[in-house]
């Protein structure tokens, strides 16, 4: 079982379905499962992998399929990270 280490240090079990969903949200529905399967094979040989490494693998594979969708995925992930930082900031202020 491979663990994904998030930027915050939290670890989660690798979940291929999360990758499929994220790729679909970027507009690459037809490639989502193929790319997720490839990434699952790549990371399954490791005990831990950084979430940033998973993200880079997704972008690299998306670029092979569709450059515009790869940019869309990268922008989506950046927006999620920014939102998470803001949400974390607000939570810490309220405590």
């Amino acid at each position: 079982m491979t663990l994904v280490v998030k930027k915050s240090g939290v670890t989660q079990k690798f979940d291929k379905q999360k990758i499929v969903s994220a790729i679909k949200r970027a507009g690459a529905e037809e490639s989502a499962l193929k790319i997720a399967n490839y990434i699952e094979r790549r990371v399954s040989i490791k005990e831990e992998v950084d979430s940033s490494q998973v993200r880079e693998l997704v972008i690299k594979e998306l670029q092979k399929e569709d450059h515009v969708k790869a940019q869309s995925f990268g922008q989506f992930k950046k927006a999620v990270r920014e939102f998470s930082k803001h949400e974390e900031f607000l939570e810490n202020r309220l405590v």
Side-chain angles (χ1 to χ4, degrees), residues 47-64:
E47 286 186 34
E48 289 186 350
V49 62
D50 288 339
S51 60
S52 62
Q53 292 172 311
V54 174
R55 185 173 43 258
E56 290 301 317
L57 282 171
V58 170
I59 292 171
K60 180 180 172 185
E61 291 306 306
L62 269 174
Q63 284 176 335
K64 291 178 185 177

Side-chain angles (χ1 to χ4, degrees), residues 1-7 10-15 19 39-40 42-57:
M1 173 180 70
T2 301
L3 295 176
V4 177
V5 181
K6 296 187 166 225
K7 190 174 182 178
V10 173
T11 59
Q12 289 183 335
K13 190 172 101 173
F14 177 81
D15 184 355
I19 294 172
I39 292 169
E40 182 179 45
R42 289 282 308 266
V43 302
S44 67
I45 59 173
K46 301 178 180 184
E47 286 186 34
E48 289 186 350
V49 62
D50 288 339
S51 60
S52 62
Q53 292 172 311
V54 174
R55 185 173 43 258
E56 290 301 317
L57 282 171

